[in-house]
Amino acid sequence: MKSMSVFHNFTNPSSLILMGIPGIETVHVWISIPFCTMYVIAILGNFTILFIVKREPSLHGPMYYFLCMLAVSDLVMSTSTLPKTLGIYWFNSREIDFSACLTQMYFIHSFSVMESGILVAMAFDRYVAICDPLRHSTILTHPVVAKIGLAFMLRGGLLILPYPLLARSWPYCRTNVIPHTYCEHMAVVKLACADIRISSYYSLFVALSVTSLDIFLIVVSYIQILRAIFSLPTKDARLKIFGTCSSHLCVILAFHIPRLFSFLTHRFGQNVPLHFRVLIANVYLLVPPMLNPIIYGVRTKQIRGRLIRLFTHKRT
């Protein structure tokens, strides 16, 4: 490992040093055990979702296409960080090339914005399926689903593009040590010896605008869904329809609660210990990718049934 050096007036460092979780380096190996377990579950679970949807023609519909987009997003988000994080914990491999750091930053933040958009698309799919079921297949055709996915991909890609571009433009002359396990945007730009208010304000604008818009659209969709549910004549019908939405609601909460908590502690939690903030930032990138396939696998009858048939067929 390179020493924790200090720079002398130049624009871009050749490499940076990731500290891991500052202050609790002695327990890195123990922390790696649940992290590695969650990562393995996330990889296996999301690839299983992709495999089942691809193999089962009856699942070739809007809900499952959006679920596949969510699985791909989860795989990219977790794989962008965890292999390097585990390298820090297991092999003390803390050095990361500056360009690789900016690339990691871009993938983490852009796919986080994409995932938020995919959750909006899934809420819209549930809204159409419940409030206007007869037109569901004509409104959400395969080309429309593809365009929605592409729109959210472009939104994430373009909104986050200034992050690495601005980060590369700042001069770095203080230290190359990042008190984090991965190249989180603000953790990197805070190393710059320049006025970074543009980066800070822009990231605040992206976080607030994306989160508030997406949550607003999801809330509007679910208000309409709840109105449709409560207008149903029988309790059984209400429970059945609500059951189809419960998995999506769980996924929304699993994504937005750690994300919001991580954002608030990084921005306004100066009194919150640094190791706790970094730990929460890791949980936010690990827990949703692990939980999403479990939630959909357990709560969605079609996926659960296909999975059971897959294993019983293999056994016989």
Side-chain angles (χ1 to χ4, degrees):
M1 184 188 105
K2 281 193 175 180
S3 61
M4 295 182 180
S5 55
V6 175
F7 294 138
H8 300 287
N9 240 358
F10 56 85
T11 303
N12 293 150
S14 58
S15 63
L16 299 169
I17 304 295
L18 292 164
M19 280 182 67
I21 302 179
I24 54 172
E25 288 88 350
T26 52
V27 293
H28 272 176
V29 173
W30 295 107
I31 293 170
S32 73
I33 296 169
F35 275 33
C36 184
T37 304
M38 286 191 283
Y39 180 55
V40 169
I41 294 169
I43 293 291
L44 292 175
N46 285 293
F47 270 119
T48 301
I49 293 285
L50 292 170
F51 176 76
I52 286 173
V53 173
K54 185 178 185 300
R55 284 284 298 271
E56 184 60 56
S58 65
L59 301 181
H60 292 179
M63 175 184 168
Y64 300 102
Y65 289 145
F66 289 134
L67 182 55
C68 286
M69 293 178 199
L70 190 71
V72 170
S73 178
D74 282 339
L75 286 167
V76 173
M77 273 212 307
S78 55
T79 304
S80 295
T81 57
L82 254 293
K84 181 61 183 175
T85 300
L86 293 175
I88 295 168
Y89 293 161
W90 291 342
F91 311 113
N92 210 26
S93 173
R94 298 168 187 258
E95 187 176 353
I96 184 168
D97 183 79
F98 186 65
S99 295
C101 183
L102 296 183
T103 303
Q104 186 191 57
M105 176 201 297
Y106 179 74
F107 273 93
I108 293 165
H109 291 289
S110 62
F111 274 87
S112 174
V113 173
M114 287 177 209
E115 180 147 336
S116 182
I118 293 163
L119 293 175
V120 174
M122 294 173 89
F124 177 67
D125 170 66
R126 292 298 82 206
Y127 160 72
V128 177
I130 292 165
C131 298
D132 200 355
L134 296 177
R135 294 178 60 211
H136 183 259
S137 59
T138 56
I139 293 172
L140 284 167
T141 60
H142 289 188
V144 169
V145 169
K147 284 173 186 173
I148 290 171
L150 183 61
F152 283 122
M153 185 181 290
L154 288 173
R155 183 185 73 156
L158 294 175
L159 273 178
I160 300 302
L161 193 57
Y163 280 25
L165 295 179
L166 285 169
R168 187 177 282 281
S169 71
W170 302 129
Y172 294 84
C173 56
R174 289 177 186 159
T175 176
N176 63 343
V177 180
I178 304 174
H180 215 299
T181 56
Y182 60 84
C183 293
E184 195 272 333
H185 174 240
M186 288 309 298
V188 174
V189 297
K190 279 178 181 176
L191 302 181
C193 50
D195 186 350
I196 58 162
R197 278 183 293 183
I198 296 173
S199 283
S200 182
Y201 291 155
Y202 182 72
S203 67
L204 187 63
F205 161 74
V206 169
L208 292 178
S209 61
V210 166
T211 304
S212 57
L213 175 65
D214 290 357
I215 289 177
F216 172 74
L217 293 172
I218 289 168
V219 168
V220 168
S221 296
Y222 271 94
I223 287 171
Q224 299 301 317
I225 288 168
L226 287 171
R227 285 176 63 185
I229 288 173
F230 288 120
S231 67
L232 293 170
T234 64
K235 185 181 176 181
D236 286 346
R238 288 196 291 271
L239 288 173
K240 185 179 179 183
I241 296 295
F242 189 77
T244 65
C245 299
S246 59
S247 51
H248 182 237
L249 286 170
C250 291
V251 167
I252 290 168
L253 294 173
F255 177 75
H256 279 293
I257 289 174
R259 185 185 190 208
L260 191 62
F261 194 70
S262 178
F263 171 76
L264 291 174
T265 54
H266 265 81
R267 283 280 173 181
F268 311 109
Q270 283 76 19
N271 297 326
V272 178
L274 180 59
H275 67 266
F276 184 74
R277 280 184 272 160
V278 174
L279 201 58
I280 290 298
N282 278 268
V283 166
Y284 147 60
L285 291 179
L286 254 185
V287 170
M290 177 194 70
L291 285 182
N292 291 349
I294 294 173
I295 290 167
Y296 273 101
V298 171
R299 298 289 305 172
T300 308
K301 188 170 71 175
Q302 292 90 331
I303 291 177
R304 190 172 66 244
R306 186 69 183 86
L307 195 59
I308 291 167
R309 285 204 306 277
L310 187 70
F311 281 108
T312 52
H313 175 71
K314 279 186 176 178
R315 224 171 275 162
T316 52

